Amino acid sequence: MGWRLRVGATVTTVVALFGGYLVADAYDVVPGMVTLQPAPEPAAPFPTAPGAVDGPSPVVAVPALSEDAPVPSASAVDDLVEDLADDDRLGNRVGVMVSDVGTGATLGASGQDRFLVPASTQKILTAVAAYSGPGGDTRLVTRVMLHGDNQLVLVGGGDMMLAAGDGDPEAVNGRAGLGDLADQVVARIALTGIDTVTLAVDDTLFTGPAIPPSVRANDARDGYTAPVAALAVDMARLTDDKYAPREEDPALAAGRSFADALADRGVEVTGSIVRQTAPSSATELGRVESASLGELVGYLLRESDNTLTEVVGRLVAIDAGLPGSGEAAVSEVMSEVESLGVDLSGAELTDLSGLGTGSRLSARQLVDTLLVAAADPELRESVTGLPVAGLQGTLSDRFGGDNPGRGYAEAKTGSLPDVRSLAGTVVTADDRLLVFAVTADRIPEGGSFGANLIFDDFVGDLADCGCS
């Protein structure tokens, strides 16, 4: 009987407590579904903006140039050309040519077939060859392979713009990161329990001299170019300056950065980092990809990056089945441009960036290359990627004041001692697209800066030309 009394007492207590909770719930003292409050009003309908209507269909902010825009008078353009060519401040070796994109007709020329030092305007040839050969969508892949139980091989695919840490998907320089690559590798080898590895670098993609023999030793020492390598961090710069001193061995330096990234993630690299070709039997553990080749070309044109130009040229050679050497790069870039119908007879390139000594091109050859690229949709981005006058890259501090060419010209600059050049496109006041090239390679001492201003004024006159 005792156990029945105890059970009955427990049930009575529970019922009492539960009944008390229901009362508290009804008066909203404790949470629950029971309430004495009146039912709430139905929720108001979702608000709508009064008078809201569908907006207009999107339109192109900058419409395409009309094919019916008037072509400038050849005599008027030729007068501008002759005034430029006769300017004593430029010296006695000047070549200039202006042509209409729509018709290909020459509107003005002087010394257009004279072979002059092109400086960095010759980068235009490499840009066009890159689109014509490998194509703008090509990406450079950096991989890590596992050989045996614990040897990692870092394989370069031509990307000298790697980030030491995480890659930036919005950047061109630093799109792919060694930190991201290390994350992939560590995640894979963690499954095996490996925490100690050896590391090799495979930089066999490129061959031959890392710096073109035509480049002056002091220019390389001062950071105007880096040794070309199959992989590097930030173009092998030792500081953040554009023309910083460079690593003597960019590939091994990248290997050291990758070893640091692994160490930060708990994987120790033992022994020295060596060079070794990745065996065909090795297993891929991770990969990162560069910005597209089209983005790299745009970067080299805007910033006039000498090293990147040499890299892109070697990729053009490899795409054609040739060795990834500087010599093969020069040969294939010229061959690719000639295959598009540009006559390069008599031209000579000793490198691709224009930094070296001995290169020669005519104004006609530069203009013809631009005309071919502007007329072909698959090549056109090599022209539209040129710096915009007064706004971008090497033209950001040019075309100042009220120069009519500001924002209406896109051109590649060229600068060497006593040499100035400029080649690109300009839209006239009548909305006609022209191409131009101008070079002076024997500027009197102290006149190089002034030559920039003279060239800018000439292109501004073309932009202001309503001379139909």
Side-chain angles (χ1 to χ4, degrees):
M1 286 294 293
W3 63 270
R4 292 179 180 173
L5 290 174
R6 287 195 296 272
V7 170
T10 300
V11 170
T12 302
T13 301
V14 170
V15 170
L17 290 173
F18 184 67
Y21 189 91
L22 291 177
V23 172
D25 179 16
Y27 284 95
D28 297 325
V29 177
V30 296
M33 297 181 292
V34 180
T35 181
L36 297 177
Q37 296 296 323
E41 296 293 329
F46 192 81
T48 58
V53 296
D54 291 336
S57 299
V59 296
V60 177
V62 182
L65 296 176
S66 171
E67 295 181 1
D68 297 328
V71 180
S73 161
S75 61
V77 173
D78 203 51
D79 286 344
L80 296 175
V81 168
E82 290 300 328
D83 288 344
L84 178 71
D86 292 340
D87 195 322
D88 292 338
R89 294 173 295 175
L90 297 176
N92 59 3
R93 284 175 54 85
V94 179
V96 56
M97 185 170 178
V98 180
S99 294
D100 175 61
V101 171
T103 63
T106 300
L107 302 179
S110 177
Q112 68 273 22
D113 294 315
R114 174 179 282 179
F115 291 101
L116 303 174
V117 178
S120 284
T121 54
Q122 73 180 58
K123 288 182 170 76
I124 291 171
L125 273 66
T126 300
V128 172
Y131 275 97
S132 177
D137 293 333
T138 302
R139 295 181 185 271
L140 315 181
V141 180
T142 305
R143 299 176 295 153
V144 173
M145 311 297 290
L146 176 63
H147 178 226
D149 293 331
N150 67 342
Q151 184 188 42
L152 301 182
V153 183
L154 179 62
V155 183
D159 190 356
M160 290 191 67
M161 304 180 90
L162 292 164
D166 296 339
D168 181 351
E170 302 299 322
V172 176
N173 184 10
R175 176 71 58 88
L178 291 176
D180 298 326
L181 195 55
D183 284 337
Q184 296 176 41
V185 170
V186 170
R188 291 286 300 276
I189 66 176
L191 301 176
T192 66
I194 296 174
D195 58 7
T196 301
V197 297
T198 61
L199 180 62
V201 172
D202 182 346
D203 62 347
T204 55
L205 182 68
F206 297 150
T207 62
I211 295 178
S214 63
V215 172
R216 304 172 185 85
N218 61 303
D219 284 338
R221 183 184 63 247
D222 292 343
Y224 289 105
T225 190
V228 175
L231 71 165
V233 172
D234 188 26
M235 303 303 291
R237 293 183 180 90
L238 294 173
T239 69
D240 291 336
D241 296 333
K242 180 177 180 179
Y243 296 119
R246 311 298 179 113
E247 296 279 3
E248 292 184 4
D249 193 328
L252 283 184
R256 292 192 293 271
S257 293
F258 184 59
D260 292 341
L262 290 172
D264 290 342
R265 291 157 176 78
V267 175
E268 179 186 0
V269 175
T270 62
S272 300
I273 301 173
V274 298
R275 282 188 164 82
Q276 178 180 319
T277 303
S280 58
S281 59
T283 302
E284 182 176 305
L285 295 182
R287 61 167 55 202
V288 289
E289 295 185 352
S290 71
S292 70
L293 188 58
E295 291 172 297
L296 300 183
V297 168
Y299 185 99
L300 76 84
L301 290 174
R302 288 189 300 274
E303 302 301 325
S304 199
D305 195 290
N306 298 315
T307 311
L308 186 56
T309 306
E310 300 295 341
V311 167
V312 170
R314 293 182 187 222
L315 297 172
V316 172
I318 291 170
D319 181 70
L322 300 175
S325 67
E327 182 179 4
V330 168
S331 175
E332 184 55 27
V333 164
M334 295 184 70
S335 177
E336 195 72 46
V337 173
E338 285 187 307
S339 73
L340 298 172
V342 179
D343 184 0
L344 293 181
S345 300
E348 182 177 359
L349 300 185
T350 63
D351 67 352
L352 291 176
S353 70
L355 181 63
T357 61
S359 290
R360 299 290 186 272
L361 278 175
S362 70
R364 183 188 297 277
Q365 289 166 335
L366 285 168
V367 164
D368 286 350
T369 302
L370 289 166
L371 284 173
V372 165
D376 188 335
E378 294 186 1
L379 307 177
R380 195 168 294 150
E381 289 187 33
S382 61
V383 177
T384 59
L386 294 168
V388 178
L391 300 175
Q392 286 183 322
T394 55
L395 284 183
S396 61
D397 59 353
R398 302 261 302 257
F399 289 79
D402 57 357
N403 188 307
R406 183 180 180 88
Y408 288 91
E410 295 179 75
K412 183 70 201 73
T413 56
S415 301
L416 286 173
D418 304 327
V419 177
R420 289 295 183 271
S421 55
L422 193 66
T425 67
V426 61
V427 179
T428 72
D430 287 331
D431 289 338
R432 192 75 186 187
L433 184 64
L434 310 179
V435 296
F436 65 88
V438 55
T439 300
D441 71 355
R442 197 174 291 171
I443 299 171
E445 185 175 356
S448 295
F449 177 76
N452 286 345
L453 301 179
I454 294 169
F455 288 177
D456 294 355
D457 287 343
F458 169 71
V459 177
D461 288 341
L462 292 176
D464 201 31
C465 185
C467 40
S468 53

